[in-house]
Amino acid sequence: MSDFEYKKMRELKKMQLQEVEKYYVEMRKYEYDNHIPIQNIELRKAIHPLLLNIVKLDRILSKEEVYVISDKRVKDRSVPKIYACTHIGGNDAQRTFEAIEEHAYLFIADLRELYRDITGKLLFLNGAICLETNNKEDRHIAYERAIEVLSKNTNLLIYPEGCWNLTENYLTLPLYNGTVKMAYETGADIIPVAIEQYGNQFFVNIGENIRWHAKDSKNIDGMNEMLRSRLATLKYEIFASRGIYIRKFIAEETKENFVQDIINRCPYNFTKEDAYETMYRNETAPFIAEQLKIDEEFVRKLALKDAERKVA
């Protein structure tokens, strides 16, 4: 029998951040184990226009701009949509919501201070599926909750790269296959979305629906590579819309400051090590670690953790 007890917000504010993170992990497990369904989905859909106006106001006050360079999706299909988006950090989730306009639950990991600040409160009002990346059980619960949301004909916004893309050379990082598995289990359309930021300007490119067909239904790896290819193409189209630059003409300080500029946009003390730890690490991981200049000892310890997870 679980001894979990709900706490009020004023109690959470007095707790250390690690205690808050532990509390929410325990809450998610308690609700899942006790078959407590996700609450107030229809209410969240109803208040979405209001929350979207708040997001727009925040953007205006932040002196940021959003440009949708293309929108190829089919909106009137009677299936839920999984908006699978590239990830650049900063305010990209808010700007993506503004670009797609439709309501969607946000699949989000490692919230940290978002558990307690005003941005997090708005996020919870909208609807969010939260998890701690390093907690295997919490990841499983989040996946099952995503299936629950989609099965109730509700959209999802997810970042299949699992982290910010801090690299210069990869249009799209390797993808976790959870997005494709969710679509397979629920019949949802996947809508690929690419987003890039240049200073205070965000450029969003929304692709065509990726639909499931019987002959492809079990080809998870193949569909995942298709999704990555679509995202890379959408990202390249953003680059092309801005003009093609020859590498030798790019200022050296621009390349040197690229990673730090992304990190500085986030007020929650995320680091390049955090991004590397949460990305999907396959055969490209050593090259990405080298490009980001990740400490070799950190990479070694992370490799040991990865090996332990595969055994578990």
Side-chain angles (χ1 to χ4, degrees):
M1 189 75 176
S2 174
D3 57 356
F4 174 81
E5 293 183 2
Y6 290 103
K7 296 185 182 296
K8 297 183 183 298
M9 187 56 65
R10 64 174 178 271
E11 296 178 273
L12 293 174
K13 287 183 177 180
K14 296 177 182 178
M15 295 165 60
Q16 296 294 318
L17 181 57
Q18 288 184 335
E19 294 175 316
V20 174
E21 292 170 334
K22 181 181 178 182
Y23 165 80
Y24 278 103
V25 168
E26 291 175 350
M27 183 187 75
R28 292 191 287 268
K29 175 175 170 50
Y30 170 80
E31 293 181 342
Y32 179 74
D33 288 346
N34 287 276
H35 310 290
I36 299 173
I38 292 177
Q39 304 291 322
N40 302 317
I41 290 178
E42 294 307 315
L43 174 61
R44 297 182 198 285
K45 291 179 181 179
I47 65 174
H48 176 67
L50 172 62
L51 296 179
L52 200 56
N53 283 332
I54 295 174
V55 167
K56 291 178 181 178
L57 178 61
D58 169 71
R59 174 178 57 77
I60 293 169
L61 293 175
S62 301
K63 298 181 179 179
E64 295 179 347
E65 300 172 340
V66 176
Y67 300 96
V68 178
I69 69 167
S70 180
D71 186 350
K72 304 181 185 72
R73 64 187 154 158
V74 178
K75 297 181 182 179
D76 58 357
R77 280 175 47 75
S78 57
V79 295
K81 304 181 188 73
I82 303 175
Y83 287 97
C85 191
T86 62
H87 204 7
I88 56 170
N91 294 328
D92 62 353
Q94 297 96 306
R95 305 304 163 242
T96 303
F97 271 119
E98 189 173 349
I100 67 175
E101 295 183 333
E102 291 188 310
H103 176 263
Y105 267 68
L106 178 63
F107 194 94
I108 182 171
D110 307 323
L111 281 78
R112 301 189 180 185
E113 289 296 344
L114 281 171
Y115 281 122
R116 298 188 288 196
D117 71 6
I118 185 64
T119 302
K121 290 178 181 178
L122 291 173
L123 178 62
F124 294 140
L125 279 174
N126 170 80
I129 297 171
C130 309
L131 69 145
E132 293 300 319
T133 303
N134 288 324
N135 188 310
K136 182 178 180 180
E137 186 175 29
D138 204 34
R139 295 198 305 270
H140 170 74
I141 290 171
Y143 180 88
E144 292 298 323
R145 289 303 199 185
I147 296 297
E148 179 183 348
V149 162
L150 292 166
S151 298
K152 293 180 178 178
N153 202 32
T154 300
N155 302 329
L156 186 72
L157 172 60
I158 191 170
Y159 295 92
E161 292 171 296
C163 67
W164 302 340
N165 185 350
L166 299 176
T167 67
E168 293 178 50
N169 297 328
Y170 290 88
L171 288 170
T172 308
L173 295 175
L175 308 183
Y176 288 94
N177 64 14
T179 300
V180 173
K181 287 182 176 179
M182 291 173 191
Y184 168 55
E185 288 198 42
T186 63
D189 280 2
I190 300 175
I191 311 290
V193 181
I195 184 169
E196 275 294 300
Q197 182 175 6
Y198 298 86
N200 283 345
Q201 294 181 324
F202 289 81
F203 293 83
V204 183
N205 197 8
I206 304 172
E208 297 178 6
N209 305 42
I210 298 176
R211 307 179 187 181
W212 279 106
H213 300 285
K215 65 182 179 66
D216 299 322
S217 63
K218 294 183 180 179
N219 187 7
I220 300 297
D221 291 339
M223 293 298 291
N224 206 39
E225 280 305 308
M226 176 193 289
L227 173 58
R228 187 183 181 195
S229 177
R230 294 274 188 94
L231 288 170
T233 299
L234 292 169
K235 182 78 78 73
Y236 185 81
E237 287 174 355
I238 294 177
F239 295 161
S241 75
R242 294 280 300 170
I244 304 299
Y245 298 90
I246 298 174
R247 182 176 291 273
K248 68 180 181 180
F249 294 145
I250 299 175
E252 190 63 32
E253 60 267 23
T254 299
K255 291 186 283 187
E256 290 177 356
N257 294 334
F258 176 75
V259 172
Q260 196 58 47
D261 285 346
I262 294 175
I263 291 172
N264 288 344
R265 295 176 203 149
C266 179
Y268 304 119
N269 298 316
F270 279 93
T271 66
K272 64 182 181 181
E273 286 77 18
D274 290 326
Y276 184 75
E277 184 171 1
T278 53
M279 67 173 273
Y280 180 73
R281 291 182 294 281
N282 60 5
E283 67 278 359
T284 65
F287 303 102
I288 294 173
E290 182 179 355
Q291 186 177 105
L292 296 179
K293 299 179 181 177
I294 303 290
D295 179 72
E296 290 184 5
E297 181 63 16
F298 179 88
V299 173
R300 188 186 70 79
K301 290 180 178 178
L302 203 54
L304 292 175
K305 283 185 180 179
D306 289 344
E308 291 172 1
R309 286 175 185 163
K310 289 179 180 178
V311 172

